[in-house]
Amino acid sequence: MTEQHFDVVVLGGGSAGYATAIRARQLGMTAAVIEKDKLGGTCLHRGCVPTKALLHSAEIADVAREGAAYGVISNVAGIDMAGVNAFRTNLVAGKHKGLQGLLKANGITVIAGEGRLIAANTVQVGADQIIGKHVVLATGSYSRSLPGLEIGGRVITSEHALELTEVPQKVIVLGGGVIGVEFASVWRSFGAEVTIIEGLPRLAPNEEESVSKQLERAFRKRGIDFKTGIRFQSVTQDASSVTVTLEDGSAISADYLLVAVGRGPATAGLGFEEVGISMDRGFVLTNERLATNVPGVFAVGDIVPGLQLAHRGYQQGIFVAEEIAGLAPVIVEDINIPKVTYCDPEIASVGLTEAAAKEKYGADKVTSYEYNLAGNAKSSILGTAGSVKAVRVVDGPVVGVHMIGARVGELVGEAQLIVNWEAYPEDVAPFIHGHPTQNETIGEAMLKLAGKPLHAL
C-alpha cells in the first residue's frame, strides 16, 4: 500500500470535480482527481456535449428541408446514423483529449480507478490511499427509472439512445423535461414519429408557464405528439417493439421507449454514510457553502440537491476551491443559474417565473412584459416564433428572464447578468443592442419595462 498526500483530493472527474481541481491549483494548492471512467464525466461523454452534437445534426436536417423557403434548392435524402455517430464521437474524443491536456498543464494529478471514502481525509483506490487536507465529493449522477420499470431491450435511457445505429420509426419518450424534449426534438427532425408522456400538466414543467405553452404549440406544429397530466402504468416488449400502458388504460406502441425521468445521485457504495456524511435519498447534504457535516469534506455537482447542470458544477467547483482557500466567494442561488433546453425551439431562462415572483413579493409588487419574436428582424430571418419575457419587481430589479425560440440559449448570458446584478430595466435600457440581432429582444423588453418602448406597444 502506498499513500499520496494533497491539499485537495477530488473524488470524481466530471465538470464539478475537475473545475475544483483547476481552481485549487490556480490558488497554489496541490490537487488530485480520482476518476474511474473518463475525465469529463456524464456531461462530456454521455450528456451535454454528445446530445448537442445530435441536435446540431438535427438542425441541419431541418434547415435542408426548409431550403426552398430561402431560395435554396435542398432536400434531405436520408439520415446516415453512422455519419451522425462519427461526428458525435469525434467531437467528444477531441474535447476529451483537450481536457486531459488541460489538467496536465495545470499540474493536477489524475488517478485512474474507483475511489471509496474510508475516512474524512482519505480515499481508497485499489491498494492505495489518497489523503487530502480537504476532500471534495463529485461523483455525479446516473439515469433514473421508475419503480418496476426495468431498463433493458427496447426500454432505454439517454445513454443508450446516443448509441442507436438506426433512426427509429416510432419512439415513446417517458418524461417531458429537458432530456425528454431534447431527444424528442432530435428524433422528429430525423423523421421518427414521437410521443411524449408527461405526468405533470405541461411539457417543460419547471419553466415559465407561457414558455411551456409555446413549446407545446411548436411541438404540435412539428408533429410531435404528447400526453400531459397522465401517468405511466406498465410496459411490455418483444423483439421488435415496446407497448406502454397508461393509467387511463390507453396503450401506445413503438420501436423504443426512452425513459427520461431525471437523474439520481451516484453515491451508493462509496463509503459516504459509513464516514458519517449526512445523506437524503442518495444526495449529499451540505450547507449553503457546500460543506458537509463532516469537517474538511465538501460536495459539488449533481450529488448536491438542486439543479443538475454542468455549469452549476463548474460554479460549485470554483466556489469550493475558493472557499478552501479562504476567499469567501459569493453564493449564487440555484434559481439564478441560467438554464437552457436545446430542443427546437430552444428554451432559456434565469431567475424567478412570474408566478414565483408574485408568491415571493406579492402580486401587486410584480410586473412583466413578454416581447414577441415576431417583432425582431433577426428572428424573422431565422424563421422562428417565440418570445422573451422579463419579470421585475415594481420600481425594483429584474428578477427573471424567460425565453423560447431558435438560438435563444445564446442570449441567456446577458439575462443572467441582469438578474444576478439586480439591474433595474432603467439601468439596462440606455445600452444599445446590435441590430439586427436576437439580442435586441432583451433590450426591447428592458425598454418596455422602463416605460420607453421602441418596437413594442
Side-chain angles (χ1 to χ4, degrees):
M1 182 186 73
T2 61
E3 291 184 357
Q4 298 183 61
H5 293 258
F6 300 89
D7 294 323
V8 178
V9 172
V10 185
L11 182 53
S15 303
Y18 76 72
T20 306
I22 289 173
R23 186 64 181 131
R25 286 293 296 131
Q26 291 171 348
L27 294 170
M29 293 178 274
T30 58
V33 171
I34 300 164
E35 174 55 54
K36 68 177 182 179
D37 189 11
K38 295 178 179 179
L39 288 173
T42 293
C43 173
L44 178 54
H45 299 283
R46 299 174 296 278
C48 318
V49 176
T51 55
K52 278 54 185 180
L54 286 185
L55 282 154
H56 184 60
S57 295
E59 180 185 14
I60 290 172
D62 288 334
V63 169
R65 288 190 189 98
E66 298 161 0
Y70 302 94
V72 178
I73 301 171
S74 61
N75 60 67
V76 178
I79 303 297
D80 174 17
M81 282 307 299
V84 169
N85 288 333
F87 165 63
R88 171 181 57 80
T89 55
N90 289 338
L91 176 70
V92 170
K95 296 301 177 186
H96 182 223
K97 184 176 180 180
L99 180 58
Q100 290 173 303
L102 179 65
L103 267 64
K104 183 178 180 180
N106 275 279
I108 295 164
T109 299
V110 177
I111 299 169
E114 186 166 356
R116 176 182 171 84
L117 192 68
I118 61 171
N121 67 342
T122 306
V123 177
Q124 183 91 28
V125 182
D128 299 331
Q129 291 187 355
I130 317 302
I131 300 171
K133 295 177 182 177
H134 304 275
V135 171
V136 180
L137 309 177
T139 49
S141 60
Y142 66 92
S143 293
R144 290 177 49 239
S145 187
L146 297 177
L149 178 55
E150 290 189 16
I151 304 298
R154 294 188 171 271
V155 179
I156 63 175
T157 66
S158 58
E159 286 93 336
H160 304 120
L162 285 170
E163 302 295 333
L164 288 181
T165 57
E166 83 278 9
V167 177
Q169 290 187 338
K170 297 181 69 175
V171 187
I172 302 167
V173 177
L174 182 58
V178 174
I179 297 171
V181 298
E182 286 187 352
F183 272 98
S185 189
V186 167
W187 278 323
R188 185 58 188 151
S189 296
F190 285 173
E193 295 180 31
V194 183
T195 301
I196 304 171
I197 300 166
E198 171 54 56
L200 293 175
R202 54 191 173 92
L203 297 182
N206 293 325
E207 298 291 344
E208 173 74 31
E209 186 171 358
S210 65
V211 167
S212 290
K213 290 179 179 178
Q214 291 177 78
L215 177 66
E216 291 176 357
R217 286 199 296 270
F219 271 20
R220 286 192 193 98
K221 187 175 180 180
R222 293 186 61 194
I224 297 174
D225 191 18
F226 54 88
K227 300 179 183 298
T228 56
I230 187 166
R231 295 187 178 277
F232 163 91
Q233 179 172 291
S234 63
V235 61
T236 58
Q237 63 174 303
D238 56 31
S240 60
S241 67
V242 61
T243 299
V244 172
T245 301
L246 305 179
E247 284 189 343
D248 65 358
S250 62
I252 311 168
S253 295
D255 299 332
Y256 291 97
L257 167 64
L258 170 65
V259 180
V261 293
R263 298 186 65 82
T267 57
L270 298 179
F272 298 175
E273 290 176 312
E274 289 84 345
V275 172
I277 293 172
S278 294
M279 310 280 287
D280 180 23
R281 295 170 294 172
F283 288 97
V284 177
L285 300 181
T286 71
N287 63 16
E288 64 179 3
R289 305 200 72 81
L290 300 173
T292 71
N293 62 305
V294 175
V297 181
F298 296 80
V300 293
D302 286 359
I303 63 173
V304 178
L307 295 174
Q308 291 178 315
L309 299 168
H311 49 280
R312 174 184 184 248
Y314 295 146
Q315 186 273 333
Q316 289 188 341
I318 294 168
F319 180 96
V320 162
E322 294 182 351
E323 182 76 359
I324 291 169
L327 300 183
V330 174
I331 294 170
V332 178
E333 295 182 24
D334 272 13
I335 193 66
N336 287 341
I337 293 174
K339 299 179 293 182
V340 184
T341 303
Y342 293 88
C343 52
D344 179 21
E346 283 186 0
I347 298 170
S349 64
V350 61
L352 298 171
T353 63
E354 183 171 6
K358 287 180 176 178
E359 183 177 343
K360 181 174 181 177
Y361 297 103
D364 60 333
K365 300 294 185 181
V366 171
T367 188
S368 68
Y369 175 64
E370 188 168 304
Y371 181 78
N372 195 307
L373 295 191
N376 176 253
K378 186 59 181 287
S379 295
S380 296
I381 291 167
L382 294 174
T384 184
S387 66
V388 171
K389 180 174 183 176
V391 181
R392 79 169 298 185
V393 175
V394 175
D395 296 325
V398 177
V399 294
V401 179
H402 308 274
M403 303 175 279
I404 182 169
R407 305 185 187 180
V408 296
E410 302 301 326
L411 308 183
V412 81
E414 181 182 5
Q416 69 134 350
L417 292 178
I418 291 171
V419 171
N420 279 289
W421 286 350
E422 300 179 342
Y424 286 33
E426 292 82 2
D427 295 328
V428 182
F431 297 103
I432 302 302
H433 294 73
H435 176 76
T437 64
Q438 285 186 296
N439 197 231
E440 289 178 280
T441 60
I442 291 179
E444 294 284 355
M446 295 301 110
L447 283 165
K448 174 67 175 180
L449 287 175
K452 47 180 181 181
L454 181 59
H455 296 101
L457 297 175

